[in-house]
């Protein structure tokens, strides 16, 4: 477990730079999308986690961006009650 953590910490700077590029290309200007940096499902690497309103918005996104997985969840729009 410590090896995974060390690997993630060592690669965080590169992941943050890649996230900025991903955000500029796929998220900015789209009010129906939000994204963050998370750990992949395997727990071995960084991944971009994207929340979208519709399946059509999800279809416009890649499943990888460079060396990073892109994990998309269709959540629908947020509503305040």
């Amino acid at each position: 477990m410590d090896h995974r953590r060390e690997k993630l910490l060592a690669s965080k700077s590169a992941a943050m730079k890649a996230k900025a590029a991903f955000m500029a290309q796929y998220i900015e200007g789209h009010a129906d999308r939000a994204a963050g940096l998370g750990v992949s499902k395997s727990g071995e690497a960084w991944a971009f986690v994207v929340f979208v309103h519709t399946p059509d918005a999800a279809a416009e996104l890649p499943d990888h961006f460079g060396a990073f997985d892109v994990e998309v969840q269709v959540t629908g729009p947020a509503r305040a009650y």
Side-chain angles (χ1 to χ4, degrees), residues 7 13 23 29-30 32-34 41 47 49 51 59 66 69 71 76:
K7 179 182 171 188
S13 177
M23 297 286 286
H30 297 276
D32 63 342
R33 303 175 186 177
K41 290 178 183 175
V49 181
F51 302 97
D69 287 344
E71 299 175 3

Side-chain angles (χ1 to χ4, degrees), residues 48-70:
F48 304 125
V49 181
V50 184
F51 302 97
V52 297
H53 291 186
T54 65
D56 288 340
E60 295 176 5
L61 299 169
D63 60 357
H64 284 83
F65 185 80
F68 301 91
D69 287 344
V70 176

